[in-house]
Amino acid sequence: MLSAAELLLNAERLTDPVQLVDRILRAGLLLRASDVHLDPSADSVRVRFRIDGTLEEVLRIPAGMQQAVTSRLKVLASMDIAERRAPQDGGFSWRLPGPVGTAAPPLDIRMATLPVRHGERITLRLLEAGGRRLGLSELGLSPTDRATFDAVLTRPHGLVLLTGPTGSGKTTTLYAAIGELLKGEPRNVITVEDPIEYEIPGVAQAEVDSSDKVNFSKALKSILRHDPDVVMIGEIRDAESLDVAVKSALTGHLVLSTLHTNDAIGSVTRLRNMGLANHLIAATLRLSIAQRLVRRRCAACGGAGCPACSGRGFSGRIGVFELFLPDATAAQRIADGASAAEIFVAARAAGFVTLAEDARAKVAAGLTTEPEILRVID
């Protein structure tokens, strides 16, 4: 089988769009890219892979091939090839060819187009269909943080929030938490997601679509009628989703969701800004986790660069975490309307560890590097 470098070598000279798309997808799979970006300009189309969170340009396609490549991808994704002035979303399943019985698992590829000045920009999200999901023990949680997370997951009700920017691994941690919950006593788990990233056997997963039949509002209003033990809401995005999450947490359900904040204690400020009363935050919030993803040093070469990591010195990523577990003192300060700084003092007294401190521990353990930490953590 050709290597990724061999697949990309001279690929810009190919005149068959089917072969060119096939090479790009093969190379993306071999390099473990999470996303493929095709960005057109006046004279070429820049092809970039996101590998372990970092964008790398791998190929330039002549501008004359742009429309053929775009049409090929639109056909695969069941999109309208005649529509060039409006964004489109689609997807398809693709498998790396190989001998019978030895082919790699299929990729679920989500595709989005966006009309830009010199054509249509295309982004492909590569997801391994039926791929093995990471467990909590593989995310990078310290033993103390793992014990804290496990303890909270055994509680019958309350609100657990994963916070951080887009691409920080929040959804992966949510899936890992649900996987851990399914190992215990039988529970009725229902999720509302936009979109569903991976199928979880034994879990009722509702996917929001653009039609009026299954929108976010209707799914959230219906979910509590199905007697759930655990509710996972892909994102608390507005007052309505927050209201459902809080009502669920108050009526005996364990609720897991994500929230866009920079740090764990910042979730309190964010919930306040969304209109949630202080006493309700104190009554429902069981755990807030902030996380980031940093590149992991290659185990084969220790960061020097080798064929296993394609000379990068990194292979895969590891999470950096901070967990805010409100104890009685912190909960009282939240209820009293204390500032984030005052809540931090209470949390610190109870052993709160910041993102930066967890990151330094991972550098000291040889799992990542100081420049990598500085690149990701403010």
Side-chain angles (χ1 to χ4, degrees):
M1 181 184 295
L2 293 176
S3 68
E6 291 169 328
L7 285 168
L8 295 170
L9 184 65
N10 297 323
E12 71 275 6
R13 298 180 184 177
L14 290 174
T15 57
D16 182 350
V18 174
Q19 292 182 10
L20 182 53
V21 167
D22 180 74
R23 284 204 179 192
I24 292 171
L25 294 178
R26 286 192 191 198
L29 178 60
L30 292 174
L31 290 173
R32 301 187 299 276
S34 61
D35 302 87
V36 176
H37 297 265
L38 287 81
D39 193 4
S41 62
D43 56 359
S44 65
V45 178
R46 181 173 54 165
V47 180
R48 294 185 292 175
F49 291 169
R50 187 173 294 280
I51 302 170
D52 294 335
T54 303
L55 276 176
E56 298 183 17
E57 183 175 328
V58 297
L59 182 64
R60 290 267 179 160
I61 301 172
M65 283 291 293
Q66 177 195 158
Q67 191 54 55
V69 169
T70 299
S71 296
R72 169 58 181 166
L73 286 167
K74 284 185 174 181
V75 167
L76 289 172
S78 300
M79 292 182 178
D80 183 357
I81 61 172
E83 178 57 77
R84 302 180 186 177
R85 297 184 178 182
Q88 295 188 65
D89 293 290
F92 58 98
S93 182
W94 181 86
R95 186 187 295 271
L96 180 67
V100 176
T102 64
L107 281 177
D108 277 342
I109 300 178
R110 295 202 179 98
M111 175 173 161
T113 68
L114 178 68
V116 292
R117 182 176 182 182
H118 296 291
E120 292 178 271
R121 194 186 194 285
I122 296 174
T123 300
L124 306 172
R125 170 64 59 89
L126 311 184
L127 300 167
E128 187 176 330
R132 187 182 70 85
R133 294 179 301 276
L134 295 178
L136 284 182
S137 60
E138 301 169 274
L139 300 181
L141 289 160
S142 70
T144 300
D145 286 347
R146 173 64 194 277
T148 298
F149 205 171
D150 285 341
V152 171
L153 291 177
T154 63
R155 296 187 180 184
H157 55 81
L159 184 60
V160 178
L161 296 176
L162 274 297
T163 75
T166 300
S168 59
K170 300 185 298 294
T171 301
T172 297
T173 302
L174 278 182
Y175 278 116
I178 290 176
E180 197 66 27
L181 285 166
L182 293 175
K183 294 178 183 178
E185 62 183 63
R187 297 198 190 190
N188 183 18
V189 182
I190 302 179
T191 75
V192 179
E193 304 173 61
D194 182 19
I196 294 172
E197 294 285 348
Y198 295 102
E199 183 177 348
I200 311 174
V203 174
Q205 295 173 268
E207 181 169 84
V208 176
D209 61 29
S210 57
S211 72
D212 193 45
K213 293 184 178 180
V214 188
N215 59 37
F216 206 74
S217 174
K218 290 182 178 180
L220 288 174
K221 289 178 180 178
S222 175
I223 198 170
L224 294 183
R225 301 175 190 149
H226 293 271
D227 186 33
D229 299 303
V230 179
V231 175
M232 193 269 267
I233 301 172
E235 179 187 350
I236 294 178
R237 57 179 65 180
D238 50 29
E240 186 174 38
S241 55
L242 176 59
D243 182 63
V244 172
V246 171
K247 286 181 178 177
S248 301
L250 287 172
T251 54
H253 306 86
L254 184 63
V255 181
L256 291 78
S257 190
T258 68
L259 195 66
H260 283 287
T261 67
N262 289 328
D263 53 58
I265 294 176
S267 62
V268 175
T269 304
R270 175 69 174 137
L271 292 173
R272 287 171 174 168
N273 291 340
M274 294 179 74
L276 188 60
N278 287 318
H279 72 277
L280 290 178
I281 300 174
T284 57
L285 185 61
R286 296 290 176 267
L287 180 66
S288 177
I289 302 175
Q291 69 177 83
R292 302 290 190 273
L293 291 176
V294 296
R295 290 182 293 175
R296 186 193 292 264
R297 292 181 93 168
C298 176
C301 64
C306 68
C309 61
S310 300
R312 295 177 179 84
F314 297 96
S315 181
R317 289 188 288 177
I318 189 171
V320 176
F321 301 89
E322 67 177 27
L323 275 66
F324 173 47
L325 180 73
D327 62 3
T329 302
Q332 187 59 54
R333 292 197 179 183
I334 293 170
D336 292 340
S339 68
E342 292 170 320
I343 297 169
F344 175 83
V345 171
R348 196 65 162 171
F352 178 73
V353 176
T354 67
L355 273 171
E357 289 168 337
D358 187 53
R360 284 196 289 270
K362 287 180 168 62
V363 172
L367 297 173
T368 189
T369 65
E370 188 75 25
E372 178 66 8
I373 292 297
L374 294 174
R375 183 183 68 86
V376 173
I377 298 178
D378 183 5

